[in-house]
Amino acid sequence: MAFITRQFVRSLSSSASRQAAIKHVTIIGGGLMGAGIAQVAATTGHSVVLVDMSEDILKKSVKVIENSLKRVAKKKFAEKPEDGEAFIQKVLKNCSTSTDAASVVQSTDLVVEAIVENLKVKQGLFGSLDKVASEHTIFTSNTSSLPIADIASSTTRLDRFGGLHFFNPVPMMKLVEVIKTPSTSQKTFDTLLEFSKALGKQPVSCKDTPGFIVNRLLVPYMMEAIRLHERGHGSKEDIDVAMKLGAGYPMGPFELLDYVGLDTSKFIIDGWHAMDPDNPLFAPSPMLNKLVAEGKLGKKTGEGFYKHK
Ligand code: CAA
Ligand code: NAD
């Protein structure tokens, strides 16, 4: 009897701490990552609003989503192209756009922020959204390198704030790092794990440490590749071939830097260098700085370490 009672109480308390599933998602920032996250959320049946600063940017984001969906559909519906077209239209129907974040977040379950990698800008955004978002709304950042707790400190919902770190290209990469700060509630964290699974992704649990798991390993590796090249110890082409054929990586480090975006890579390394100036792994690179100063940001601007069509 005591056992039944304990079980009953346990099941009551676990259902009380269970958060309703995420249905409506607001993605802020319609760039490389935001467009991909919106696409995946819309594909898995969520109602998505993608927010950016202008209609022109949002038009481009929707075009990117359409093109990516075409690539998915070409594979998924190879035998029946008409079903592929219906699939694309169904997904696009789940996704709308807006330039007015404040009004969208009044009735959303989850905010995923994917704007520029700058702490002050992210804090400014969340500070203003916190005042207007619904009480139950969970806030998350897709930051590559900034402490989630520092971003969350601009809000009053520390228990409903966590990290959802996706990987580029979002439609293809299976991983999501789910980040729990000391203030993130277990209920919020569990909801974020469930949401990641609902997107068809594999979540891993991360502490709120610089770069979480993947970037703490990947970014120093990419910076080491630049330094190796700066010392004249290998051409970028040879380094890329070496890591693809010798280590089995799908892209070499210079291809990957161009793919991630050199501005984002520079934001990450500069932030870590400021935090830990004596760590040689976080030393800035003159070559990276020069390319960014010249506006050569990688694939997204047509040129970075390489020229792109
Ligand atoms: N949307 C939809 N489908 C896509 C796609 C996209 N954006 N990109 C690739 N695909 C699919 C398509 O089906 C494509 O076939 P089609 O060209 O016929 O459409 C197929 O994948 C193969 O693509 P590619 O021929 O272009 O090249 P690939 O076989 O090398 O695969 C890749 C592309 C998946 C991107 C692969 O190169 C890869 O895994 N690269 C490494 C990416 C990586 O490491 N990402 C992490 C970056 S770090 C990060 O994101 C965190 C951070 O905070 C900075
Ligand atoms: P991006 O430059 O491609 O896109 C950023 C978008 O945010 C732009 O469209 C910009 O107009 C918009 N934006 C900026 N400020 C805004 C605001 N206040 N309100 C609304 N929109 C705003 O950048 P990205 O590569 O998509 O990176 C976005 C975030 O995701 C960064 O924090 C980055 O570190 C992180 N991230 C990047 C990658 C990657 O491979 N590029 C991978 C994982 C995480």
Side-chain angles (χ1 to χ4, degrees), residues 23 40-47 94:
K23 293 196 178 84
V40 170
T43 302
T44 47
H46 298 87
S47 170
N94 289 342

Side-chain angles (χ1 to χ4, degrees), residues 33 39 64 67-72 74-75 117 142-145 165-173 177 214-215 218-219 222 249-251 256 259-260 264-265 268:
M33 297 305 291
Q39 177 184 331
V64 167
N67 287 339
S68 175
L69 283 171
K70 280 183 191 156
R71 296 172 79 177
V72 174
K74 199 174 82 189
K75 288 240 161 74
E117 186 72 346
N142 180 52
T143 177
S144 298
S145 63
H165 185 222
F166 292 83
F167 294 83
N168 182 22
V170 184
M172 299 301 293
M173 305 304 279
E177 292 178 325
V214 173
N215 282 347
L218 189 62
V219 175
M222 294 195 292
Y249 286 23
M251 289 176 170
L256 190 54
Y259 200 68
V260 164
T264 299
S265 306
I268 297 172

Side-chain angles (χ1 to χ4, degrees), residues 248-296:
Y249 286 23
M251 289 176 170
F254 292 96
E255 290 171 332
L256 190 54
L257 280 155
D258 273 7
Y259 200 68
V260 164
L262 302 191
D263 50 344
T264 299
S265 306
K266 178 170 156 56
F267 276 129
I268 297 172
I269 209 66
D270 287 353
W272 290 354
H273 178 64
M275 173 193 78
D276 187 359
D278 296 330
N279 190 335
L281 292 177
F282 302 158
S285 143
M287 195 176 277
L288 179 65
N289 290 348
K290 181 170 180 289
L291 288 169
V292 173
E294 289 168 355
K296 296 176 182 163

Side-chain angles (χ1 to χ4, degrees), residues 179-247:
I179 299 108
K180 189 174 190 293
T181 75
S183 307
T184 310
S185 71
Q186 192 58 41
K187 183 164 135 182
T188 298
F189 188 64
D190 290 343
T191 304
L192 296 179
L193 289 172
E194 280 312 308
F195 174 67
S196 307
K197 289 182 200 158
L199 296 180
K201 303 289 185 197
Q202 169 73 54
V204 291
S205 304
C206 291
K207 298 262 163 57
D208 192 16
T209 56
F212 317 123
I213 297 173
V214 173
N215 282 347
R216 183 60 184 78
L217 299 173
L218 189 62
V219 175
Y221 149 74
M222 294 195 292
M223 294 304 295
E224 271 305 288
I226 305 178
R227 282 190 271 273
L228 197 152
H229 178 47
E230 281 172 334
R231 289 196 300 270
H233 292 178
S235 71
K236 51 187 191 291
E237 291 81 3
D238 280 349
I239 296 170
D240 277 350
V241 168
M243 291 313 291
K244 284 190 285 189
L245 301 189

Side-chain angles (χ1 to χ4, degrees), residues 121-170:
V121 180
K122 287 188 197 283
Q123 285 176 331
L125 173 73
F126 278 117
S128 63
L129 295 185
D130 189 41
K131 297 188 179 76
V132 286
S134 161
E135 193 59 25
H136 81 286
T137 304
I138 296 177
F139 285 180
T140 65
S141 174
N142 180 52
T143 177
S144 298
S145 63
L146 300 167
I148 300 292
D150 288 1
I151 306 173
S153 69
S154 60
T155 73
T156 55
R157 60 182 77 213
L158 302 187
D159 57 324
R160 282 149 291 146
F161 206 120
L164 279 179
H165 185 222
F166 292 83
F167 294 83
N168 182 22
V170 184

